Each structure stands twice: as C-alpha cells, then as structure tokens.
Amino acid sequence: MSTSSPPHGGPPRNDSPTSERGRPSFSRSSSFQSFISKTSLDRYGEDWGTDALTLLDVIETFFDSRLDLFNRRLKAQSARLKNRAVELLPRGLRTPGGGGILLADDDHYSEGGDNREGHGGHGGHGGRRGDRYRKEVEREVERIKVKLAAKVTQLSAQWRSAQIVRTKEKVSFLFGVLSLTFSSILYGAAPEWLPFAYTAQSAFYIPTRIYTYKRKAWHYFLFDLCYFVNVLDLLWIWVFPSSTKLFICSYLLTMGPLASAIITWRNSLVFHSLDKVTSLFIHVYPPVVLTVIRHNYANAEQRYPGLAQVNDYSWYTMILLAGVPYILWQAAYYKFISIDRKSKIESGQRANSFQYMLNDKRGPIGKALQGIKPEHREPWFIFGQLIYSIVFMVPPAVLFIHSAKASAAFLAIIFSVSAWNGATFYVEVFGRKFERELERLRKEMELASATGGSNASSNPTPSNFGSPFTDAALSPSGHSADGHHAEVDNLANSPLVLPGTRQSAAELEVPELVLDKAATEVDKESRKTI
C-alpha cells in the first residue's frame, strides 16, 4: 500500500483504489493504521476475515480521530503561547519564529531553500541561510549606528547653540541683579546719582529693545505710551529741568499709567530674561527716579528749578495739563499706526497693543472687547484707555506728589507685584514646562509599551533628549525649525521589513539583538520546510 500524507493532516492519497483481497480501502490513513494492518496480515496471512478487518478499522478510526483532535489542540495552544511570546518583541523585529529580525528577502530565501533542499540539500543550505542572516543583521546594525551617530552630531551642535543661549541668559541675570543692587545702594547712599544711572541704563535697554523688536516685526509696540513717557522724563531731566508744567505732566504720567502698567501688562522680575528685565526697567525705574527727585534729592530746586512752583497747581489742573501730551500721543498713534498701518496689522504682518489685548481672551480687556462689534472695538479701546489713564493719574496728583511716604509705599507695592509675577513665572511656567516634558516622556513610554519596545525603552536614543532650548529645534517630521531639511536617510533602502507599522529600520529604536539566537531560529525554520 502506497500512502502519502500532507503536512497538515489532510486526506491521504491512496495509489491503489482497492486492497490485495479486493476490499475497499478507507479514506483515513495514519501510522497506527499502517502498523496494525501490517502486523495483522503478517500474523494471520490471507485467512483474515472481512468482519475482523471491519472491527479493526472501527477501533483504529476511533483512536486515530481522538489523537488527531488532541494534536490539533496542542498546536493551537502552542500557537497562542508563541504569539504571546512574540508580542514581547517590537513588531518590526520578528522572524517567522518570533525571535529575531525578519529580512525583506526572507521569503525568497525560504523558497530558494525549499528548491535546493528538494534536490538533496539538507543542513548546508540551512547553515548558509543562518550565516547570511547574521551578516545582514550585522550590516543593518552598523548602518543604524552610523545614522544614530549623525543624529548625535546634529544634536550636539544644537546643544552647543543652546549653551550660547544659556550664556546670554546668565549674563542677563547677572546684570539684572547688579542693576538692582547698585540702584538700591544709590537710593540710600547717593540718590542724586539715580538720574545718571537711569540715563545710562536707558542708553542700553531702549536701543536693545528697538533692535530686538524691529527684528521680530514687533516695532509697533515701540510707539506705546510707556516709551513716550520715558522720552518725556529724559527731556525734563536733561533739557527742560526748569519747566514746571513738563514736570507735572511727566510725574503724573509716570506715577499713573506707566507704573500701573506693571499690573496691567503683568511685568515680571525675571532676571534671566533680557526682554522682561527691559520691560520692568521701562515701567519701574522712571517712577523711582522722579520720586527721588521730588522727595529725596538734596537741594533739588537748585538742580531742577521747575520743582519750586509745583504746589501752585491744583490736582485737577495737573490732570488737565498731563492730559495734553497724552492726547497728542494718542492722536499721533491713531493716525500713523491704527490708520496708516491698518492693512499690515489686519493681515497679521504686524502687531500692536490693541491686537494683543484683543487676542488675550483670559484678560479683562480682551473679554470686554469680545462683546463689542468689530468695527467699534478700537474706538472703545481708545476711550477706555483714556479713562484708565485719568483714573490712575488722580492718586499722583492728589497724594504722591505731596507725600514722600505715600510715594514710597506705592513704589513698594508695584515692585512687590513685579516680584510676585516673577515668582509665578519661575514656579508655574517652569513647572508647567517640566510637566509637559514628563507628559511627553509618558506618551513615549506608552507608545514603546504598545509596540512591545520594552528593550528599546531601557536604551534611550538621541531622539529622547529633552531640553527647554532644543525642543523647538526639530520638527516632528525630522526637519529643523528654520526650514532646512535633515540629512539624507541612508537607510531608505533597508532590507529590514517592518510589518504592521510599515516603518523603515531607521525609524525604529534598536533593541539589544541576540544574533546567535536569531540565526539558530532561522536554521530551524529552514529545516522545518525539508
């Protein structure tokens, strides 16, 4: 009897339709059947009856079906266990047996191995296949190392650039602290030198602000009231010190809208930021200087003759006088910025204070402007700014210009507000940034766990580097933030196949590879097909 069985336990092929005695042959065949039939025929010869053979076939069929069912269950359980084991590896790094990396031409090798083995090649081809597998993996690992080395070099350059940025912030922090310390010493020991300190620092901070804002296309902010008031103060100190009216205008605008803007614009005492130090200087230093000149300057009327007649004006007259330069400034601002540059502002090419306040949805001004028709928002903003300035000019006209203690208390309040804003920045803003870093790391860990990258997570790659100064350096697409493309992907033609994720080898983190184990598995896979 000539019988051949397929590899998956399907129906056998029987080359002869009948047995030697003419008995029809059963469709099922197994080693059990062959063994029983051969033993029975040898023992009893040709005299074995048909009824006995029928009973034997029934017994054989019963046990054979049970064995076949049990074998299928074992295979299913084995497949489930193997799948669970394979899930511990990254999806893109699995051989057909679940222990290594799947090559792109793995199917080609399998077909070639089958053909060669069909011609008598048994262990030689399988061994050569394992060697080729090991060489391919080693080659790919070397190429991935080259890729990662290039990434490390690029990130190192960015890290050095970030170190330059941090050096600038350290310098800003140093000069901010020295400026505060030096100004405090002058305030107590030699207050008559504070106007010189104010002028010298203005010669540094204001040109720096003009340069940086022009470069960022924020130069429309330079026409705001705070810069206008600083110019008025410097003009009175060095050009018109004998003008009482100019002093009253400067004092009320400085101690009123300018100083209160620390609260409105949330100026912060943040020493490491040159921009924030400049903003705080523009808003807090002029009130300190004018307060010192008015109340703490020895023989101030000799140096500034305009102080002699300040008490001759009533508080409402002072407000009216201060309203004149304010209205002139507002009219010029509306003409040259709001009207002449309206197209640039509306197109988003430029920004000004009105647009900033309008887009600040959390602020009270932004919330109030949202309830007004768009065509009426700017006139209402200008009117509200006028009322705001008048209200905050009342305390200087009524109290501060006559009382040294009230002026000192007011300066302490606005400085405390700026310090509180700085503490809020350092604690909350930096805390939120750190929280975002942790959240990003958590998402990366979850992604690594979802793809089975438990090995990769223990060996972080340069893509995991996090720095407050390099987060914006690279976009998610792999291009730099300034629009330059990253280097050419040398692994674009990698033979590593990443099924399921459809990713190239260069896009995956490389876990620790056990090449001997993977090659051994490839050899086993090739032998199973023989």
Side-chain angles (χ1 to χ4, degrees):
M1 180 181 295
S2 176
T3 307
S4 62
S5 300
H8 300 291
R13 293 194 308 267
N14 197 342
D15 296 336
S16 61
T18 60
S19 62
E20 296 179 1
R21 294 177 62 95
R23 178 179 52 86
S25 176
F26 289 93
S27 60
R28 300 187 62 87
S29 177
S30 65
S31 60
F32 181 79
Q33 178 184 1
S34 301
F35 173 74
I36 294 297
S37 300
K38 186 177 184 300
T39 304
S40 302
L41 290 174
D42 292 342
R43 183 176 180 180
Y44 298 101
E46 299 295 331
D47 296 331
W48 192 268
T50 303
D51 295 336
L53 284 176
T54 303
L55 178 60
L56 182 62
D57 287 338
V58 171
I59 296 175
E60 178 269 326
T61 304
F62 176 80
F63 285 104
D64 186 56
S65 62
R66 297 302 187 275
L67 291 174
D68 183 66
L69 180 60
F70 181 72
N71 187 34
R72 291 175 183 269
R73 289 178 179 177
L74 285 179
K75 289 183 178 180
Q77 182 66 17
S78 175
R80 284 195 296 268
L81 293 176
K82 181 181 292 187
N83 291 335
R84 292 180 183 177
V86 169
E87 289 175 358
L88 298 178
L89 289 174
R91 295 183 182 275
L93 304 177
R94 301 172 185 168
T95 60
I101 298 177
L102 177 65
L103 296 176
D105 50 354
D106 193 50
D107 293 339
H108 172 72
Y109 288 161
S110 179
E111 293 176 1
D114 291 344
N115 293 334
R116 290 189 299 268
E117 290 159 2
H119 288 81
H122 181 68
H125 294 298
R128 285 197 297 271
R129 184 184 177 195
D131 293 338
R132 297 176 67 180
Y133 180 88
R134 183 182 292 102
K135 292 179 181 179
E136 289 288 345
V137 171
E138 291 174 350
R139 181 174 60 87
E140 289 304 312
V141 170
E142 290 299 325
R143 296 179 65 183
I144 291 173
K145 287 181 180 179
V146 172
K147 177 73 174 181
L148 295 182
K151 289 292 184 182
V152 169
T153 303
Q154 181 181 3
L155 290 175
S156 298
Q158 295 169 358
W159 186 259
R160 288 192 293 270
S161 176
Q163 288 179 340
I164 296 176
V165 174
R166 290 197 299 274
T167 302
K168 293 180 180 178
E169 293 182 343
K170 291 177 182 179
V171 172
S172 176
F173 188 94
L174 174 64
F175 278 97
V177 173
L178 292 178
S179 174
L180 178 60
T181 305
F182 181 69
S183 300
S184 301
I185 294 174
L186 287 181
Y187 185 87
E192 64 274 7
W193 286 95
L194 269 180
F196 293 92
Y198 168 57
T199 304
Q201 293 182 73
S202 297
F204 170 74
Y205 285 119
I206 292 180
T208 303
R209 172 59 59 87
I210 293 174
Y211 170 75
T212 55
Y213 273 28
K214 177 63 176 178
R215 187 181 60 180
K216 296 178 180 179
W218 293 352
H219 49 279
Y220 287 1
F221 287 99
L222 300 174
F223 297 94
D224 287 349
L225 180 65
C226 54
Y227 300 96
F228 175 74
V229 173
N230 274 266
V231 172
L232 282 182
D233 293 340
L234 292 172
L235 285 176
W236 179 77
I237 291 173
W238 300 109
V239 181
F240 306 105
S242 59
S243 175
T244 303
K245 294 180 180 179
L246 183 58
F247 171 75
I248 292 174
C249 295
S250 299
Y251 188 85
L252 264 64
L253 290 173
T254 299
M255 298 294 289
L258 182 65
S260 62
I262 294 176
I263 303 174
T264 306
W265 291 86
R266 298 191 293 273
N267 293 140
S268 306
L269 185 62
V270 179
F271 289 118
H272 81 276
S273 173
L274 180 61
D275 181 70
K276 294 185 181 297
V277 169
T278 303
S279 297
L280 184 62
F281 170 83
I282 290 171
H283 289 89
V284 80
Y285 220 98
V288 173
V289 172
L290 293 187
T291 298
V292 167
I293 292 175
R294 175 59 179 164
H295 299 293
N296 305 102
Y297 199 103
N299 300 321
E301 294 180 359
Q302 296 180 3
R303 173 64 181 84
Y304 304 101
L307 298 175
Q309 301 177 356
V310 171
N311 294 329
D312 296 340
Y313 294 86
S314 60
W315 65 271
Y316 53 87
T317 305
M318 294 181 184
I319 294 177
L320 290 176
L321 288 174
V324 174
Y326 177 86
I327 292 175
L328 292 176
W329 163 80
Q330 185 66 82
Y333 185 91
Y334 184 75
K335 171 65 172 61
F336 294 107
I337 301 299
S338 300
I339 295 179
D340 294 351
R341 274 76 178 177
K342 183 178 181 179
S343 59
K344 291 185 177 181
I345 294 174
E346 291 182 347
S347 64
Q349 300 178 16
R350 301 290 186 270
N352 62 351
S353 300
F354 169 70
Q355 292 293 332
Y356 177 84
M357 290 291 190
L358 180 62
N359 295 328
D360 186 11
K361 303 298 189 301
R362 298 179 300 174
I365 298 177
K367 293 179 180 178
L369 291 175
Q370 294 299 321
I372 303 174
K373 294 182 179 180
E375 60 272 14
H376 298 153
R377 286 175 180 172
E378 190 164 9
W380 276 104
F381 175 76
I382 295 174
F383 178 74
Q385 194 173 21
L386 174 62
I387 300 300
Y388 167 86
S389 300
I390 293 174
V391 169
F392 279 93
M393 283 191 292
V394 171
V398 174
L399 185 60
F400 300 155
I401 202 170
H402 303 293
S403 173
K405 292 182 179 180
S407 299
F410 177 71
L411 292 178
I413 291 174
I414 62 174
F415 188 80
S416 299
V417 171
S418 67
W420 179 264
N421 292 337
T424 302
F425 177 86
Y426 279 115
V427 175
E428 296 186 2
V429 174
F430 279 1
R432 285 197 297 269
K433 179 177 290 188
F434 180 69
E435 183 180 357
R436 288 195 295 269
E437 291 292 327
L438 290 179
E439 181 67 18
R440 184 172 65 88
L441 180 61
R442 184 186 65 82
K443 291 181 179 180
E444 291 180 356
M445 294 298 294
E446 289 181 352
L447 181 60
S449 299
T451 57
S454 57
N455 292 331
S457 62
S458 62
N459 299 313
T461 63
S463 62
N464 291 332
F465 291 149
S467 171
F469 310 102
T470 58
D471 288 341
L474 291 177
S475 63
S477 61
H479 302 294
S480 60
D482 57 0
H484 295 292
H485 292 284
E487 69 276 5
V488 178
D489 189 358
N490 295 326
L491 300 180
N493 298 321
S494 172
L496 296 181
V497 173
L498 310 178
T501 58
R502 296 186 179 275
Q503 292 176 308
S504 65
E507 297 174 347
L508 274 184
E509 298 177 344
V510 183
E512 182 181 358
L513 300 178
V514 184
L515 299 183
D516 293 336
K517 179 180 177 181
T520 302
E521 182 178 324
V522 172
D523 293 339
K524 292 181 180 179
E525 291 293 330
S526 62
R527 293 190 184 98
K528 289 180 181 179
T529 59
I530 299 174

